Amino acid sequence: MTMQAAYYRRKGPAAEVLQLGELETPQPAQGEVRVRIKVSAVNPSDTKNRGGHRGNIHMPFPLIIPHQDGSGIIEAVGEGVSKDRIGERVWVYEATLGRALGTCASFCCVPSSKAITLPDAADFEAGACMGIPAMTAHRCVFADGSVAGKRVLVLGGAGAVGFYAVQMAKLDGAASVIATVSRPEQAQVAINAGADHVINYKEQDLVASCRELFHEDNPIDRVIDVAFGANLPQSLALLRARGVIATYASDAVPEPSIPFWPMLAKDLTVRFVLVYAMGEQAHRDAALYINESLKKNQLKHQIYKRYHLHDVVSAHEDCESMKILGKVLIHLD
């Protein structure tokens, strides 16, 4: 039996390397499930892996079907997995972590633990939006304890991770959530997520604006950061003693220097968050939280555009443009 899939055999620009075609339908190995994919999500890590980000042009497998995240219905199980799971609606994460065949295909096999039951209150699009961004946001917000009663600064509050981080901080009872943006249209996204204050860092001085809001020199308890190296001076200036920076990216300054003594003086914690390296418990905690939130319809989702499989090149190019607001999704039906 064959299936429709997008794939690449070498790394490079989307238009040059992405192909469409019929591939053999994968069979679930021991401990795995096979999911009929309904919606596949494009994440920046997917396009970076395909494009050879930072010179990484090595192909770990001869052929790769991209995309870590997606959603669908379990239609086959491997040895050791209960057949009761067949027919279950699920959201899938880390489909290509150490594996070749991701969710940008009619079918995808993943370990059973990475196919999470999709609550009835959530549709397949919501399920595909989880995975990398929502799990990263959960780790950033909660890895160092509850933010209830705390002030949380989300740098990049309209981004895929920041959008969920703002929501999770508010749901946990943060005293105030401040989000930074760089464009007016991003401000509305952050407000929709629940941010109490939005600062356009291109037009306003971030440090001065935060200090004016709270009439304190060091008003922030927790920083969630998409650009660690670029933002470190401002984060350091604003954080209280024993504050935390949880960061998941530093593209603009990939090898930042650390002002050791000023950070030591505040007894700061810097938490580096990479969803692919998180422990099993962190993954379980994130999945449980996400599903409880989905059951209660507490999470909003921002979708930029929906594509079909034959438009996979455009979907990747959209994700890479850095100008979009929301997720790029591919419908497999």
Side-chain angles (χ1 to χ4, degrees):
M1 185 172 72
T2 60
M3 66 175 182
Q4 285 287 316
Y7 58 91
Y8 55 93
R9 299 181 185 274
R10 62 182 178 90
K11 295 188 178 183
E16 295 180 16
V17 303
L18 282 174
Q19 303 178 58
L20 295 174
E22 296 274 341
L23 296 177
E24 193 70 23
T25 299
Q27 300 301 313
Q30 182 174 359
E32 294 183 348
V33 298
R34 184 170 69 207
V35 180
R36 179 184 290 275
I37 298 296
K38 295 290 188 178
V39 182
S40 179
V42 188
N43 285 295
S45 61
D46 299 317
T47 61
K48 289 176 180 179
N49 284 336
R50 184 263 308 145
H53 180 61
R54 299 181 66 184
N56 182 17
I57 61 172
H58 170 68
M59 285 284 291
F61 305 97
L63 178 149
I64 294 174
I65 295 174
H67 302 176
Q68 299 277 6
D69 296 341
S71 60
I73 300 173
I74 294 175
E75 55 97 62
V77 299
E79 184 181 349
V81 180
S82 172
K83 291 186 177 180
D84 291 343
R85 293 212 72 185
I86 294 174
E88 190 176 316
R89 300 166 69 250
V90 294
W91 57 275
V92 171
Y93 69 91
E94 294 178 352
T96 57
L97 180 59
R99 304 162 67 92
L101 309 181
T103 67
C104 199
S106 302
F107 297 94
C108 178
C109 291
V110 295
S112 179
S113 62
K114 293 187 176 183
I116 309 297
T117 303
L118 182 63
D120 292 339
D123 60 21
F124 288 117
E125 289 193 337
C129 288
M130 298 296 96
I132 292 170
M135 288 184 137
T136 300
H138 179 272
R139 182 73 170 163
C140 286
V141 173
F142 297 112
D144 293 278
S146 171
V147 295
K150 298 184 182 297
R151 292 174 183 156
V152 180
L153 173 61
V154 181
L155 299 168
V161 174
F163 182 74
Y164 286 116
V166 169
Q167 295 182 68
M168 291 177 185
K170 288 298 293 182
L171 287 170
D172 194 48
S176 187
V177 178
I178 308 95
T180 68
V181 299
S182 60
R183 307 195 306 270
E185 60 268 31
Q186 291 178 332
Q188 189 57 54
V189 171
I191 291 169
N192 289 343
D196 298 293
H197 308 282
V198 178
I199 297 172
N200 185 328
Y201 66 87
K202 293 286 185 71
E203 299 176 353
Q204 302 165 264
D205 182 281
L206 174 58
V207 174
S209 296
C210 281
R211 287 174 173 171
E212 184 178 348
L213 278 173
F214 301 107
H215 307 290
E216 292 181 33
D217 286 344
N218 309 116
I220 302 301
D221 299 290
R222 191 80 54 91
V223 173
I224 296 167
D225 193 1
V226 68
F228 175 70
N231 293 325
L232 183 54
Q234 292 87 350
S235 298
L236 177 56
L238 289 169
L239 276 166
R240 291 173 171 165
R242 296 170 299 283
V244 176
I245 301 172
T247 181
Y248 55 95
S250 189
D251 288 349
V253 184
E255 297 184 9
S257 60
I258 302 296
F260 176 80
W261 292 110
M263 295 179 75
L264 178 71
K266 287 190 174 184
D267 191 24
L268 298 184
T269 296
V270 179
R271 175 170 295 279
F272 297 96
V273 176
L274 180 62
V275 67
Y276 307 118
M278 283 169 23
E280 291 183 8
Q281 188 61 52
H283 281 99
R284 286 195 292 268
D285 290 346
L288 179 62
Y289 176 94
I290 288 166
N291 266 17
E292 286 301 312
S293 300
L294 290 174
K295 287 176 185 176
K296 299 173 184 176
N297 201 27
Q298 291 177 320
L299 293 178
K300 299 177 182 178
H301 314 285
Q302 52 172 348
I303 297 169
Y304 171 72
K305 199 167 184 179
R306 300 163 175 87
Y307 286 102
H308 290 287
L309 187 60
H310 63 268
D311 288 321
V312 64
V313 170
S314 296
H316 272 232
E317 290 175 342
D318 269 352
C319 187
E320 289 176 304
S321 73
M322 303 300 290
K323 297 178 181 179
I324 65 172
L325 290 174
K327 296 289 293 185
V328 176
L329 302 178
I330 295 178
H331 282 252
L332 272 298
D333 284 347

